[in-house]
Amino acid sequence: MSLSNWETKKMGKFTLRYQPYTLEMKHVFTVASFSRNTTPVVLTELEYDGIIGYGEASMPPYLGESQESVVSFLKQVDLGSFNSPFQTEEILSYVDALAKKNTAAKAAVDIALHDLLGKIMNQPFYKIWGLNPDSIPPTSYTIGIDTEEMIRKKVSEAGQFKILKIKLGLATDKMIINTIRSVTDVPLCADVNQGWKNKEEALEMAYWLAEQNVAFLEQPMPKEQIDDNAWLTAHSPIPTIADEGCQRLSDVTKLQGVYTGINIKLMKCTGMREAKRMAELARSLDMKVMLGCMTETSCAISAASQLAPLVDWADLDGALLIGNDIYSGMIVTDGICKLPNRPGIGIIKN
Ligand code: MG
């Protein structure tokens, strides 16, 4: 599959190309706050000395970025004053300083730069970072909120996975778990997407879910309810993980004691450089680390996967949920992420 509408921008020794693309999801995807069946992304390419790095920004609508905002951010980026891609720290600090938010747009540059660097060094990025690809935890596979019949169908399609991620946060929570438990006893994790509002009810659910072999709770209550989330974490029989409540490196220290751990996503934190720092900081604070994703092609998923040996839980199913991936990279076999032994983030075009 090839795309032909690349916008090209020459900047000294670098060339940046970008193009909006729409991911089509295999199933309508429902969580506590919305349903959708497509995800807008912008694909990027960063070229230096004839070598091309691939990147991607993914913009699920609730995060406030769009193809238009990403394109207008990329139009501002000018790497013309940098002589070498190995000025990584300076380049990415410059990109981050261009605007306050735009984290997915920044990730599209960060990922392409890391891919480019790995290709120049001719090594996969997990090797450059010194990480063991055989120590990646099994990835979860997400089952969205749905009817009993569709949940049974989705669970039966997910047979290879050693852990399933269940979206909760509506009145149907117990029905969903009971339906899944009627067909499989595979471990689960629950993502409430801020759907529970009352801490006592949340704790009651945490105990019930622990009995159902649910390993942890992601974002049980609204991120603004800091004291309630901290109370739940102190009393819950299973770990709590901040997702909506944790965006960037500067959030991590504040979340110690509020949640057991954090969910790191490249699109929230501006890419691979900051994601690695977040994982290391969380570890140093004795917090758990989960690595998540948006609906993304194998580009952003393979970029995140380079970090997966560092984490406790991986949730890297984003490319499996779409029907029109244009790259091949990290593959999931028997529920385990297998990193390709290719340079950079390890992807090739389909
Ligand atoms: Mg989540």
Side-chain angles (χ1 to χ4, degrees):
M1 209 182 309
S2 70
L3 298 169
S4 52
N5 295 317
W6 294 97
E7 204 66 52
T8 298
K9 186 175 166 178
K10 284 213 171 297
M11 316 172 288
K13 293 180 174 177
F14 293 89
T15 302
L16 178 66
R17 281 182 288 273
Y18 49 89
Q19 150 149 221
Y21 185 63
T22 300
L23 304 182
E24 285 153 21
M25 304 177 66
K26 290 177 186 166
H27 292 294
V28 175
F29 191 65
T30 301
V31 303
S33 52
F34 60 86
S35 291
R36 66 175 202 275
N37 57 13
T38 62
T39 301
V41 303
V42 174
L43 305 171
T44 56
E45 294 186 356
L46 185 62
E47 182 171 346
Y48 179 90
D49 209 11
I51 299 176
I52 299 172
Y54 299 131
E56 176 179 12
S58 170
M59 288 81 63
Y62 59 93
L63 289 179
E65 289 182 78
S66 62
Q67 289 173 331
E68 293 71 27
S69 71
V70 170
V71 165
S72 91
F73 181 87
L74 294 174
K75 279 183 182 157
Q76 285 182 64
V77 172
D78 183 357
L79 306 185
S81 64
F82 299 100
N83 289 318
S84 159
F86 287 96
Q87 291 169 271
T88 316
E89 292 296 321
E90 287 174 22
I91 292 171
L92 294 177
S93 296
Y94 154 78
V95 170
D96 194 17
L98 282 174
K100 200 161 161 33
K101 294 185 173 171
N102 301 89
T103 53
K106 292 169 183 175
V109 179
D110 168 287
I111 295 168
L113 180 60
H114 281 83
D115 191 37
L116 175 64
L117 290 169
K119 284 171 172 164
I120 294 170
M121 291 186 269
N122 199 28
Q123 293 293 338
F125 232 91
Y126 65 85
K127 286 190 180 172
I128 294 168
W129 278 337
L131 302 178
N132 179 358
D134 298 328
S135 61
I136 301 178
T139 182
S140 50
Y141 181 78
T142 301
I143 309 288
I145 294 172
D146 221 316
T147 60
E148 287 188 52
E149 187 192 345
M150 277 304 290
I151 288 170
R152 280 197 203 94
K153 181 172 182 299
K154 289 180 182 176
V155 170
S156 70
E157 286 171 9
Q160 68 153 311
F161 293 90
K162 300 183 190 327
I163 180 165
L164 297 178
K165 172 163 158 172
I166 312 303
K167 292 287 191 178
L168 298 182
L170 298 179
T172 49
D173 288 356
K174 286 195 175 177
M175 176 281 282
I176 289 173
I177 298 291
N178 287 331
T179 302
I180 291 166
R181 281 287 168 256
S182 72
V183 286
T184 178
D185 56 7
V186 71
L188 307 176
C189 57
D191 188 355
V192 186
N193 288 114
Q194 317 186 79
W196 300 340
K197 312 298 178 197
N198 176 289
K199 67 179 181 184
E200 284 86 9
E201 286 171 24
L203 184 61
E204 213 172 292
M205 276 301 286
Y207 271 99
W208 185 78
L209 291 169
E211 285 168 14
Q212 310 299 318
N213 194 16
V214 171
F216 63 88
L217 282 177
E218 203 181 320
Q219 201 64 54
M221 287 183 284
K223 60 182 178 183
E224 296 80 13
Q225 291 178 222
I226 294 166
D227 293 345
D228 290 343
N229 278 302
W231 182 89
L232 178 65
T233 299
H235 294 87
S236 172
I238 51 177
T240 62
I241 302 293
D243 183 7
E244 288 85 341
C246 179
Q247 312 290 319
R248 297 201 55 177
L249 181 64
S250 55
D251 296 323
V252 178
T253 306
K254 291 180 269 187
L255 297 174
Q256 190 183 26
V258 182
Y259 304 91
T260 320
I262 57 167
N263 184 355
I264 300 171
K265 295 176 180 171
L266 300 189
M267 296 304 144
K268 293 191 299 185
C269 76
T270 73
M272 295 169 70
R273 179 179 76 142
E274 188 155 319
K276 180 157 181 286
R277 289 180 179 171
M278 290 174 77
E280 289 163 346
L281 176 57
R283 279 265 173 273
S284 77
L285 297 171
D286 207 20
M287 295 174 78
K288 295 281 187 191
V289 181
M290 173 180 184
L291 182 62
C293 61
M294 308 300 175
T295 313
E296 295 163 354
T297 72
S298 288
C299 177
I301 293 293
S302 301
S305 303
Q306 305 295 314
L307 269 176
L310 275 180
V311 309
D312 299 292
W313 296 294
D315 178 30
L316 297 168
D317 62 350
L320 303 172
L321 304 175
I322 61 170
N324 60 341
D325 198 351
I326 67 157
Y327 300 106
S328 300
M330 185 277 281
I331 55 165
V332 179
T333 307
D334 289 334
I336 305 286
C337 299
K338 301 285 182 198
L339 290 171
N341 189 17
R342 283 192 290 261
I345 62 171
I347 61 169
I348 49 175
K349 281 188 177 169
N350 287 339

